[in-house]
Amino acid sequence: MDWRQLWEICSAPDNVPIVGLIPLLAFYIYLAWKQAHANDQLIAQLEADPAMAKTHHRKTWPFKPGWQKEVHVWPFLLRIEFLAAIIITIILMVWSITLNAPLEEPANPNLTMNPAKAPWYFLGLQEMLVYFDPWIAGVVMPTMIIVGLMVIPYIDTNPLGSGYYTWKQRKFSIGTFLFGFIVLWVAMIIIGTFIRGPGWQWFWPGQTWDHNRLIYEVNRDLPDIFGITSNIAKAIFGALVVGGYYVLGGFLVYSLFRRYMGKDFKRMSLLQFSMTQFLLLTMVALPLKMGLRLLWHIKYVWITPWFNV
Amino acid sequence: MADENNPNGKNGKVGLVDRVKEDIQAMKVDIPAKAKEQIEGLKDPTKTQVYTSIFRHKHDDTPRNRALGVLSNVFLHLHPAKINRDAVRYSYTWGMGGITFFLFIILTYTGVLLMFYYHPSKVQAFRDVLYLEHDVPFGKILRNMHRWAAHLMVIGVWLHMFRVFLTGSYKKPREFNWNIGVLLLVFTLLLSFTGYLLPDDQLGFWAVTVGTNMARATPLLGHEGPFGSMLGMTPYNDVRFGLLGGSIVDANALLRSYIWHCIGIPIVASILMIVHFWRVRKDGGISGPAPVMLEAEADKPRRGPKAAGE
Ligand code: HEM
């Protein structure tokens, strides 16, 4: 156990935000879960008791007839904003006094940093470079993330859970978002920051970064396993595998939706549903491809003269 | 002779002295009276003309004045005068949108101060940062605050987006504002990224090199990307060249980074924030905490005209 190495990584000034992000996320997930749980209980109660549902004010916080429904922004909201501004300023001051922003040697194109890491918030994408070619990890994925985020309001046709925390009414959408945000984005950043060392190799926390370590790893392509050698056959084979993934996966999504989310499916137009299928399958493809690589050392699935997937 | 030159003669002189005497007498009464008035006036500054010209309403603690305090102030009138009693609960919004905005203001402020000491040129940039760190009064804390506020802002936007998602606040009628938000997320990350290169040190240089190397592989538009070379892309004319102003991260890249970081993106982000805040109001204030809906009501219109937390 190399504590010094661990400390060096955790205390690198630009890594501190991630060290801070983890407890912050944990806290806010807890806060959201607590409210979702309370709301879900209330919903169950009201659903069991229609008479109560008619008269209840429908929030978990107490409310009695005759209480004011609205409060003045001045002072009730402004004082919170003012307090928040002060607290943030103090945190920032203390942080800036105790920890210095990093400044390395002057830029030198002839002296490669190893590992050369992107800023922490992009490390998820850099981690994807291990499993995908740069045109996918660096261009297609960010584009898909942005487009995917933007279409969320238009493909989520579930009218429930608007304006309050809930889990039971939005299991699918919240589950999907948690998977994308926590597992595919934050966890990859954590791996990129704390695990990846020189040569972008995997070093467990506390393992010394060995700059001379070589990993002898033979990667194969999927067509090789099936004994396909000619280039044309490889291209066709890959297209079939990838196409098959989307077709079969699309069918699976359909049958799951039909069975378990019938109401949502009914509300969706064809465009909304196929968009959901496509984005969901593309997202799930990331861990699948990672699994192929980690478990069977498969580098590419689809090989063409112009691009590889 | 003097008299001839002075037609008023002695009488004129006497008249002047008398007048002065009279004025002095009057002054002894007038000025203390005015001084008293002035002091009386200072006891209640809210009655002075300067005060009333700045603040357009009275200060007494009445519901009307509480509302006016918000509505008659250009900055505060982003807010409505009154909001739902539950909408002020921290546990609902986490305050992250506001905190992100506050950090943006801090970044603008510290950023402008940094600009006084920074030249975006290969010769000077790194030295300017050293100068800031060691010689400029409060230069070090200035740079630190700018850096850490930037990191915090990235975390703030993520948490804000996370809570907006978890509360389903992107649903009707807030779809468009969610989209403005996604753009703000992208621009926040780009702001941070363009700033990373500016100290012109190894950290920034290699981070930006790694980052922009991906642009080489852009399909169609990058020289190493799928179909790029078929479309005539070379290291000297592809998107990466356009981003960096050259085929490597060098002086032009530094200048471009600087201009995007200090001028281009802040302007676009500010405009988007204005739209974002405007839409929060126009879409009926923040989405909740709203009364919960039951499964059976899913496809029916909501109870009441405005059920949400506006
Ligand atoms: C620079 C970045 C941003 C700033 C300064 C900002 C600021 C704000 C503020 C002050 C609010 C009022 C409520 C609150 O504080 O939660 C708000 C609401 C909202 N924001 Fe943002 N935001 C930013 C980025 C985003 C992002 C990345 C998204 C989503 C992808 C987003 C989507 C929304 C939506 C949908 C609302 C309405 C929420 C509701 O009604 O409850 N914003 N934003």
Side-chain angles (χ1 to χ4, degrees):
Chain A
M1 192 72 187
D2 186 347
W3 291 103
R4 217 180 64 100
Q5 179 75 61
L6 189 65
W7 173 245
E8 244 169 47
I9 299 172
C10 291
S11 67
D14 269 347
N15 289 348
V16 168
I18 319 161
V19 180
L21 177 67
I22 299 169
L24 269 179
L25 259 182
F27 170 73
Y28 282 111
I29 289 176
Y30 161 75
L31 191 62
W33 179 82
K34 208 177 79 171
Q35 296 174 78
H37 185 66
N39 281 333
D40 286 345
Q41 271 181 335
L42 177 65
I43 290 167
Q45 207 180 354
L46 295 179
E47 256 160 9
D49 185 351
M52 186 181 171
K54 279 213 178 81
T55 53
H56 196 273
H57 66 284
R58 304 248 179 146
K59 293 187 191 178
T60 49
W61 296 298
F63 182 78
K64 292 209 178 86
W67 284 9
Q68 289 214 328
K69 282 211 170 112
E70 296 197 315
V71 293
H72 276 289
V73 162
W74 179 300
F76 297 105
L77 177 60
L78 291 178
R79 69 179 178 195
I80 299 177
E81 292 180 350
F82 188 55
L83 201 62
I86 292 175
I87 293 173
I88 293 290
T89 310
I90 292 174
I91 292 176
L92 208 57
M93 282 287 204
V94 172
W95 190 357
S96 302
I97 290 169
T98 50
L99 193 68
N100 284 326
L103 187 68
E104 304 263 335
E105 299 292 301
N108 184 352
N110 301 316
L111 189 70
T112 317
M113 293 258 280
N114 189 11
K117 289 191 180 183
W120 61 272
Y121 37 84
F122 285 148
L123 283 183
L125 295 172
Q126 200 177 354
E127 175 67 13
M128 284 297 124
L129 280 174
V130 176
Y131 308 99
F132 294 93
D133 277 0
W135 68 277
I136 301 185
V139 186
V140 176
M141 273 188 206
T143 313
M144 295 269 290
I145 293 172
I146 295 168
V147 173
L149 282 174
M150 287 181 123
V151 300
I152 285 178
Y154 303 102
I155 58 179
D156 181 357
T157 54
N158 179 1
L160 297 175
S162 168
Y164 53 93
Y165 292 91
T166 170
W167 159 249
K168 294 220 166 103
Q169 292 186 335
R170 296 174 60 208
K171 283 183 189 161
F172 174 70
S173 60
I174 288 181
T176 313
F177 194 84
L178 281 178
F179 178 70
F181 181 54
I182 305 292
V183 179
L184 291 182
W185 188 252
V186 177
M188 292 304 144
I189 288 175
I190 291 172
I191 291 177
T193 310
F194 298 110
I195 307 275
R196 294 298 181 178
W200 208 256
Q201 289 179 17
W202 189 284
F203 291 88
W204 291 105
Q207 208 179 340
T208 313
W209 279 10
D210 175 0
H211 283 258
N212 301 315
R213 183 169 88 168
L214 285 177
I215 290 187
Y216 189 67
E217 195 177 58
V218 188
N219 283 322
R220 310 167 281 181
D221 298 326
L222 193 63
D224 299 341
I225 296 176
F226 291 88
I228 299 169
T229 47
S230 96
N231 283 343
I232 298 176
K234 277 185 180 176
I236 295 173
F237 172 82
L240 285 176
V241 172
V242 174
Y245 168 73
Y246 277 97
V247 172
L248 288 179
F251 182 74
L252 186 69
V253 174
Y254 165 72
S255 85
L256 289 178
F257 257 72
R258 200 181 72 91
R259 267 162 224 277
Y260 301 107
M261 299 182 31
K263 281 192 184 154
D264 292 282
F265 180 67
K266 229 179 179 163
R267 276 191 287 260
M268 289 170 120
S269 71
L270 182 63
L271 184 63
Q272 285 172 325
F273 185 65
S274 42
M275 204 68 184
T276 310
Q277 278 174 314
F278 174 69
L279 289 170
L280 192 64
L281 287 172
T282 309
M283 191 164 116
V284 172
L286 302 191
L288 285 183
K289 178 91 197 278
M290 288 165 69
L292 282 182
R293 177 62 163 277
L294 295 174
L295 295 176
W296 292 289
H297 296 291
I298 289 168
K299 188 163 165 66
Y300 293 124
V301 170
W302 184 8
I303 301 165
T304 74
W306 312 283
F307 61 87
N308 302 316
V309 177
Chain B
M1 280 139 34
D3 288 356
E4 273 159 1
N5 287 335
N6 183 358
N8 291 332
K10 226 180 175 182
N11 287 338
K13 262 185 191 162
V14 170
L16 189 66
V17 170
D18 283 347
R19 279 186 204 168
V20 169
K21 274 188 181 156
E22 194 189 315
D23 285 353
I24 290 175
Q25 284 302 325
M27 191 173 82
K28 279 187 182 158
V29 183
D30 277 354
I31 297 297
K34 284 217 177 284
K36 217 173 156 198
E37 223 177 277
Q38 191 86 61
I39 290 165
E40 279 306 307
L42 284 178
K43 282 190 183 153
D44 187 2
T46 62
K47 294 225 167 66
T48 60
Q49 191 188 357
V50 174
Y51 183 93
T52 51
S53 75
I54 299 173
F55 301 99
R56 304 189 56 230
H57 57 88
K58 292 217 185 79
H59 189 62
D60 349 330
D61 188 5
T62 63
R64 185 180 139 80
N65 283 341
R66 285 183 172 187
L68 283 175
V70 172
L71 296 180
S72 69
N73 179 304
V74 66
F75 303 106
L76 297 185
H77 99 284
L78 265 177
H79 290 303
K82 279 180 151 196
I83 49 170
N84 187 288
R85 62 181 294 124
D86 296 316
V88 294
R89 286 179 191 275
Y90 179 79
S91 59
Y92 182 72
T93 66
W94 308 350
M96 279 304 159
I99 288 174
T100 308
F101 181 56
F102 181 61
L103 287 165
F104 182 74
I105 294 174
I106 292 185
L107 283 162
T108 311
Y109 179 71
T110 51
V112 169
L113 291 181
L114 286 173
M115 283 172 80
F116 283 124
Y117 296 97
Y118 178 86
H119 305 74
S121 76
K122 275 306 242 193
V123 183
Q124 292 230 47
F126 186 78
R127 290 183 204 178
D128 285 341
V129 179
L130 284 182
Y131 181 60
L132 262 165
E133 295 240 302
H134 300 291
D135 291 310
V136 176
F138 299 108
K140 197 166 207 158
I141 196 170
L142 189 64
R143 175 164 183 253
N144 289 351
M145 275 186 84
H146 194 73
R147 182 112 177 173
W148 303 139
H151 285 320
L152 271 186
M153 185 172 168
V154 170
I155 295 177
V157 191
W158 290 2
L159 289 176
H160 174 56
M161 180 175 76
F162 193 39
R163 102 75 195 151
V164 169
F165 188 90
L166 290 179
T167 55
S169 302
Y170 57 84
K171 298 185 181 200
K172 245 184 227 168
R174 297 183 177 78
E175 304 97 317
F176 181 72
N177 213 19
W178 167 270
N179 277 278
I180 300 286
V182 175
L183 292 180
L184 277 170
L185 169 78
V186 174
F187 282 115
T188 303
L189 294 178
L190 286 180
L191 263 177
S192 233
F193 187 63
T194 48
Y196 217 64
L197 181 66
L198 299 184
D200 198 28
D201 65 343
Q202 281 285 72
L203 203 61
F205 177 85
W206 286 103
V208 172
T209 303
V210 169
T212 51
N213 270 350
M214 304 216 191
R216 276 187 231 252
T218 312
L220 310 180
L221 296 177
H223 71 276
E224 283 173 6
F227 308 109
S229 56
M230 290 162 117
L231 289 171
M233 289 299 155
T234 69
Y236 305 100
N237 66 0
D238 65 352
V239 273
R240 182 168 173 277
F241 189 91
L243 288 175
L244 296 178
S247 59
I248 53 164
V249 179
D250 204 22
N252 284 349
L254 189 62
L255 185 60
R256 282 185 190 203
S257 245
Y258 176 75
I259 293 171
W260 281 121
H261 185 76
C262 302
I263 301 171
I265 304 178
I267 289 179
V268 180
S270 305
I271 293 173
L272 286 172
M273 280 182 213
I274 293 171
V275 180
H276 195 62
F277 300 155
W278 169 256
R279 282 303 291 239
V280 171
R281 283 295 303 278
K282 289 287 139 182
D283 294 339
I286 61 163
S287 57
V292 298
M293 261 168 103
L294 305 184
E295 188 79 44
E297 298 157 352
D299 291 307
K300 290 181 205 148
R302 259 211 123 114
R303 309 185 296 170
K306 278 186 174 179
E310 59 269 47

